[in-house]
Structures are given as structure tokens and as C-alpha cells.
Amino acid sequence: MSNDELKHKMRPESLMMSYGYKPELSEGAIKCPIFQTSTFVFKSAEEGKGFFEIAYGLREKGPTEEMGLIYSRLNNPDLEILENRLTLWDGAEDCAVFESGMSAISTVMLEFLSPGDYVLYSNPLYGGTYHFVKAVLSRFGIHSMAFNAHESEANIDKLIQENGIQDKVKMIYIETPANPTNALVDMEACAKLAKKYSTEDSQVIFAVDNTYMGPLWSQPLKHGADVVVYSATKYIGGHSDLIAGAVLGNQEVITRVKTLRTFLGNMAGPWTGWLLMRSLETLKVRMTEQAMNAKKVAEFLRDHPKVAKVHYLGFLTEEADPENYRIFKKQLTSAGAMISFDIKGGEAEAFRFLNALQLIHLAVSLGSTESLAEHPSTMTHSDVTPEDKALYGISDALVRLSIGVENYEDLNSDIGQALDKV
Ligand SMILES: *Cc1c(COP(=O)(O)O)cnc(C)c1O
């Protein structure tokens, strides 16, 4: 069966071991080898000329012509097969992988924004992204404006109009759910606004950082996003042993992103590509187990006398929070495996809890097989202003957990014994 036929017949988890790889091109090896090579030998000078004409866009690819391998900054089998597999989860036409989530994000912003443009983003953002927007893009004359996760379509529109940036907003960039509080942003509302302010010759790009929920539980392209970005360091990599990023979208978008990637030279290396293919084979199994464990941990925390409040999407109810509940039902298929909770007390109590954990590790990052705990206020979100911390609920009592694949009873007994020491 051809790749195209397979893609339409089978589910992604069935294709993660084989899609896009031809054993006969690699001595029959069942697994794609690591193509640890910088350059590739052309069969003839004519062939080399042809590859370069296509790579540099000097002419269109012929109907039966295949783009050949040139040089590992432009293309490499480990990256190409990985990119093909990643498209399956998000239902994307194409994908570009990067050496980090930050390089994926910064390349997307540099490609689609020019001096004088505005990027409208949801607050709070991942700290690295926030810094890039505020401290780096601003040096190139690219402006930014924030709206709070939760804000209605009408209010975001009002923000655009009242600030007179109707002609200048060129990107809407969101994270949903927001880190660390799990506040949700309505993707369809953002997609509508991006359309509204797009003109025939200037598209407003709607980009979603899907690191927290993707690719299994959230597929933003189906809700009107033009670009999806990932820190593949998190769930996609899933073993805390690599740093990588990915960008997905239609052919036109990804061709532009890949072209800039060629000149920034921030593609992932073959070894990282190979590790990510290994990771994709178990992606669904891992994430499914993690989400199941997270539910058990959230329920344990909710009933614990030393816990003031648990922030977990699975606890949303139509009665208490109809707007978030509506968005949750529309755009997510799981409550995910990220939980945060307010311990009774403040920093001292939170630290006593973190220092007493035995099975769960005290570390930032998320989405991996092992469970991790951290203190957002003094760690991942330490540079957020006190006003914004208050606004987003990032208090000194807040602890963030990323739930792994351990047995949930062991996780709960570890959390229980650590809470006992508080
Ligand atoms: C980790 C993370 C990033 C940055 O990714 P790196 O792989 O560390 O460069 C971006 N966005 C979110 C939501 C993240 O969690």
C-alpha cells in the first residue's frame, strides 16, 4: 500500500512503527537506521543539479520526480520520516522538526512577522516564548499585545479595534490550556478573528502551541489553526532524554518555515530524529496511561485535607464554569496529565512538600514517563510580575505536577507521605 492509502485506512498509532520507511533501502533493517551523515552522494552531476533546482525553488518538481537527499541541513532520512509520521496525528499536510521547541517557535514568528507588525498573544505564555516576543522581536520592530486566556471573542476584537491595530495584527499566537493554571482559550474564536483581519494579500496567521495536550488530545488544525508548534521535548519525546521542536501546517506554510530553517540551520540532528521515532511508537500508550494516572492523582489531591484547590480540567463542570466547560468539550478529548494544586499555606509549605517527595522528582519540564513536580512561582514563572501572578493564580502555594506512567497508587502514596510532612 502507498503512504497515501495507508494514511487514509489506518489510525496513527498503527503506523508509527513503519510509515514512510522502506526497509529495502536500508539492507532490510526493521528500524530506520540513524543516518549520521552530513552529506549525500549524487548519482550524477545532472541529478545534483536537479536536486538543487528544486531545493532552491528555481523550478517546480516534476509530477513523478522525487526530491533527493543533498545535505543534512536541508534534508535527512531520519528527519523526513519523522516529519511524515508527525503529520498523521495532527492531520497536517507537512511538518518541520527543529532542535528545540524554542527554535520552532522563534522560526515561525520570524517567518510570518515583519517590522511594524503586531503579534497578539494569550496570557500567560511559556516563559521562553514570552521573552522572545518581548525582548527579541521588539528589537526588530515587531510589537506585541496580550489578551488573557478566558477572554471572549468580542473582547479580543475590542482590544484590536480600541488599539487601532486592525491592519497591523499579523499573528494570533496562543497556548491552551495555559501553563500552569489550565485556563482555556477558544480556538474557533481566534480562528474567526484571524480570518476577519486577513486581507487578500496579507494573511493573519493563527498559531497554537500544542505542547500541553498534543498531539493526542488536541488537534488545533481541525479548529481553524494555521500553524501548530510543539516542544517535542515534552510528550512527543516523552523520556526526558532529548530537546526538540516541531511545526505543522499546510504545504505552503511549512515550505516557508522549512526555507527559513535551512538558513537559520536550526533543524534537529539525525540522532534526535531517530530518538523521536522511537518515542512515537509508544506515544498513545504513554499518554493514555498518563491521563488515567492523572485522574487518580487529582481525585486523591481533591480529597486531601492539606490541599486547598486542585486545578485539573477533569473537574470542570457545566454548572460551575459553563464557558470553560464548553471550550473543553469542543476542543479537547482528555483532561490531560498536568495538574496543579494550591497547598494550604504558602511557599514554606509547598517547599516542604516538594523536598519530601521520594518517587516523584523535583524538576521542571513535563510530559515524560516519570512524574515531575515543581513550584511555578519561584521556578518556571519566577519572572512573571507580581500583578500578573495574582491575575493568573500563580500563588506561592501553587505546585505543578506532570504525571508519568508509574503505578498511580505509588504516586498517591508518595504524595500522601510528602503532604504528611507539611
Ligand atoms: C518546554 C516548552 C517550550 C519550549 O520548548 P524547548 O523544547 O524547551 O525549547 C515551549 N512551549 C511550551 C508550552 C513548553 O512547555
Side-chain angles (χ1 to χ4, degrees):
M1 249 189 280
S2 75
N3 270 350
D4 247 13
E5 285 169 320
L6 279 170
K7 190 167 163 169
H8 292 111
K9 264 216 167 86
M10 309 271 182
R11 290 165 186 83
E13 63 267 32
S14 305
L15 298 175
M16 284 302 118
M17 283 61 76
S18 57
Y19 187 73
Y21 171 64
K22 297 185 183 129
E24 64 271 23
L25 296 180
S26 295
E27 310 274 5
I30 181 79
K31 291 285 112 166
C32 178
I34 306 170
F35 287 85
Q36 191 72 45
T37 184
S38 60
T39 195
F40 297 86
V41 179
F42 303 137
K43 288 197 187 84
S44 66
E46 289 75 12
E47 185 189 72
K49 177 182 173 185
F51 291 172
F52 267 94
E53 286 170 343
I54 299 167
Y56 283 17
L58 301 176
R59 65 171 173 85
E60 290 282 310
K61 197 161 65 172
T64 58
E65 204 173 7
E66 286 234 14
M67 176 61 189
L69 295 161
I70 297 177
Y71 181 73
S72 284
R73 179 157 47 75
L74 280 66
N75 47 18
N76 176 287
D78 291 298
L79 297 200
E80 291 196 335
I81 297 167
L82 167 66
E83 288 167 348
N84 287 337
R85 289 183 189 173
L86 278 169
T87 62
L88 300 178
W89 291 103
D90 276 282
E93 285 178 18
D94 202 0
C95 169
V97 291
F98 286 83
E99 61 187 349
S100 68
M102 278 315 304
S103 58
I105 292 163
S106 54
T107 302
V108 163
M109 289 186 172
L110 288 171
E111 176 56 33
F112 294 105
L113 293 167
S114 300
D117 290 349
Y118 270 78
V119 51
L120 190 66
Y121 64 90
S122 65
N123 236 349
L125 272 192
Y126 177 73
T129 308
Y130 181 79
H131 185 85
F132 183 76
V133 167
K134 290 292 176 193
V136 182
L137 287 183
S138 61
R139 285 201 282 122
F140 297 97
I142 297 164
H143 311 288
S144 59
M145 194 169 286
F147 64 91
N148 292 318
H150 253 166
E151 215 65 85
S152 67
E153 183 184 334
N155 279 346
I156 304 171
D157 202 5
K158 210 162 86 188
L159 182 80
I160 295 173
Q161 304 221 8
E162 281 176 355
N163 286 284
I165 59 166
Q166 298 93 313
D167 303 330
K168 299 195 187 94
V169 65
K170 294 296 168 207
M171 180 180 285
I172 299 176
Y173 183 96
I174 68 161
E175 277 174 32
T176 180
N179 170 7
T181 55
N182 284 336
L184 297 172
V185 184
D186 188 338
M187 294 198 252
E188 272 166 23
C190 294
K192 260 196 246 163
L193 288 168
K195 250 206 197 89
K196 176 172 175 184
Y197 292 106
S198 289
T199 60
E200 207 154 305
D201 40 34
S202 175
Q203 191 193 354
V204 179
I205 295 280
F206 172 35
V208 178
D209 181 335
N210 202 34
T211 301
Y212 245 56
M213 282 290 172
L216 207 64
W217 306 315
S218 161
Q219 279 124 25
L221 297 176
K222 293 172 189 154
H223 299 277
D226 302 301
V227 182
V228 175
V229 299
Y230 285 105
S231 167
T233 311
K234 314 295 166 53
Y235 286 101
I236 295 174
H239 295 70
S240 299
D241 57 5
L242 60 85
I243 300 275
V247 180
L248 293 112
N250 69 23
Q251 200 58 63
E252 196 187 331
V253 159
I254 300 300
T255 298
R256 284 182 61 177
V257 169
K258 279 187 173 170
T259 302
L260 184 58
R261 184 184 69 173
T262 292
F263 299 103
L264 292 175
N266 54 359
M267 70 296 152
W271 173 225
T272 297
W274 185 90
L275 278 171
L276 283 168
M277 281 195 275
R278 173 276 327 246
S279 292
L280 282 182
E281 297 189 7
T282 56
L283 180 82
K284 186 177 178 189
V285 183
R286 283 186 281 116
M287 290 183 79
T288 303
E289 184 77 2
Q290 285 171 270
M292 196 271 288
N293 278 349
K295 180 168 183 285
K296 299 287 188 187
V297 171
E299 284 164 358
F300 177 79
L301 285 167
R302 182 172 57 180
D303 299 334
H304 200 285
K306 291 196 179 160
V307 173
K309 186 169 187 340
V310 181
H311 308 273
Y312 170 63
L313 288 172
F315 293 159
L316 279 175
T317 63
E318 195 161 13
E319 299 72 46
D321 196 348
E323 185 53 19
N324 262 323
Y325 186 80
R326 183 186 67 80
I327 302 172
F328 175 60
K329 284 290 167 198
K330 189 167 66 166
Q331 64 194 33
L332 295 169
T333 58
S334 162
M338 295 299 294
I339 302 169
S340 57
F341 69 96
D342 294 305
I343 202 163
K344 282 185 185 160
E347 184 180 303
E349 287 74 14
F351 278 19
R352 231 167 282 147
F353 168 76
L354 290 168
N355 289 333
L357 289 169
Q358 290 170 349
L359 177 67
I360 300 175
H361 293 280
L362 172 54
V364 300
S365 197
L366 59 103
S368 185
T369 44
E370 72 273 284
S371 296
L372 301 176
E374 66 117 0
H375 188 244
S377 177
T378 58
M379 295 171 192
T380 47
H381 294 70
S382 54
D383 63 348
V384 176
T385 62
E387 298 77 51
D388 279 355
K389 277 185 185 169
L391 187 63
Y392 311 140
I394 305 171
S395 75
D396 288 341
L398 189 74
V399 171
R400 187 184 82 176
L401 299 174
S402 168
I403 301 300
V405 300
E406 302 92 341
N407 185 298
Y408 69 82
E409 289 179 353
D410 292 335
L411 291 173
N412 285 341
S413 83
D414 191 34
I415 291 169
Q417 67 78 26
L419 284 170
D420 286 343
K421 304 224 169 77
V422 176

